[in-house]
Amino acid sequence: VPQGALPICVVASGQLAHPGKYTLRGDTTLTEAIAMAGGFTDKSKHSQVLLFRRLSAQWSESKVINVKKMLNAKNLGEDPFLKPGDMFVVPQNTFSKISRFLPSAAVSTYVNPTQF
């Protein structure tokens, strides 16, 4: 960051290895910031990353970004550059939300001892 310039800070939240506040040193895209935050966890919903950007003191915009599709298509042309004050949230995927409620027989093999 040049002397006298304000640092560019963004907030990374949700299902990331290291969520938190990050100071950016230059132009940084969303996927680069996700990598800086340690990448996705096994509970991440890659297809619905939320980007929040403040437009004024009263207004913010939000955008859903399908990072999974962008990376699978190897098309980073739609990868947005982050701006000061941006926040992105990686939500939890559906399976990780319900997996703790599944009976153990549903996630493992059941052996009936009377069959032998």
Side-chain angles (χ1 to χ4, degrees):
V1 177
Q3 189 173 7
L6 293 174
I8 298 172
C9 294
V10 297
V11 175
S13 181
Q15 299 301 312
L16 295 162
H18 306 288
K21 185 175 181 180
Y22 289 87
T23 301
L24 307 179
R25 305 270 180 237
D27 289 343
T28 305
T29 65
L30 176 63
T31 56
E32 290 171 333
I34 289 170
M36 289 171 56
F40 294 118
T41 69
D42 58 346
K43 295 180 179 182
S44 299
K45 186 163 191 167
H46 309 68
S47 61
Q48 291 185 352
V49 177
L50 299 162
L51 176 62
F52 296 96
R53 180 165 287 159
R54 186 170 300 282
L55 300 176
S56 69
Q58 295 83 21
W59 293 93
S60 294
E61 72 174 342
S62 62
K63 185 175 183 181
V64 177
I65 300 170
N66 189 336
V67 175
K68 180 179 182 177
K69 180 180 175 184
M70 195 171 39
L71 294 175
N72 285 342
K74 297 176 177 67
N75 178 13
L76 297 179
E78 297 180 24
D79 193 6
F81 282 96
L82 298 178
K83 294 184 177 181
D86 280 358
M87 179 175 86
F88 64 93
V89 179
V90 178
Q92 188 175 4
N93 64 36
T94 304
F95 181 74
S96 65
K97 289 179 188 176
I98 64 168
S99 64
R100 63 188 179 130
F101 299 108
L102 295 174
S104 58
V107 292
S108 63
T109 305
Y110 175 74
V111 177
N112 185 347
T114 61
Q115 290 178 328
F116 295 102

